[in-house]
Structures are given as structure tokens and as C-alpha cells.
Amino acid sequence: MFSEQFIANLAGAVAKQVIVSLSVQSSGSGNRLLSTEEAAAYLGLPSSSSLRQRKCSGQIPDYTFVKMGGSVLYDRQGLDRWIAELKEAA
């Protein structure tokens, strides 16, 4: 049917695509700015509503998010900074 070379090339291409797909999934969207849902997952929170509640109550520092138009986006570097500060305070 197919040559061994064809199968080897196809397997290599599929493996590369799987690696790229897994890389994007593990880093959220791959972007520095995250949606509320992505940021909640990044922080290990049970839901995006728990992140919204913490933001509205002032538990999350202003430097962790930006408002763009009608959206709130969370800065991955700001979240990392906040996590480091929480670890230092513990």
C-alpha cells in the first residue's frame, strides 16, 4: 500500500502537530494576556466566577489585569508576580 518512507514522514508530521497542540494547551492561549477563564485555570481556581469575585472584592492586585474596551484581561506576568509575593508572605 504505502511505502515505509511515506508512513515515517506521516508519523513525524503527526507527532509535530501533537507537540504543538499540547504546547498551546498547556500554556493557555500562548498569549501574555489571558481571558478570565484562562486566568482562573492558570491560577488553579475552580471557576472563572471565583476569580471575578476575588477581583471585585479587591483580593487581586490591579497590576494583574488590564481593561481593554469592555473586557478584562489578566497579565500572565502580573499573575506570576502576585503568586511570588504570596509565597514570600507565607
Side-chain angles (χ1 to χ4, degrees), residues 22 32 45-46 51 56 70 75 86:
L22 290 173
R32 178 174 171 179
L45 296 173
L51 179 58
C56 290
D75 179 18
L86 291 172

Side-chain angles (χ1 to χ4, degrees), residues 7-8 14 18-19 22 24 27-28 30-31 40 55 57 60 63-65 67 72-73 84-85 88 90:
I7 293 171
V14 169
V18 168
I19 290 169
L22 290 173
V24 169
S27 65
N31 296 326
K55 179 190 163 295
S57 68
I60 300 199
Y63 62 79
T64 61
F65 61 90
K67 294 179 181 178
V72 175
L73 298 173
E85 290 173 1
E88 287 175 10

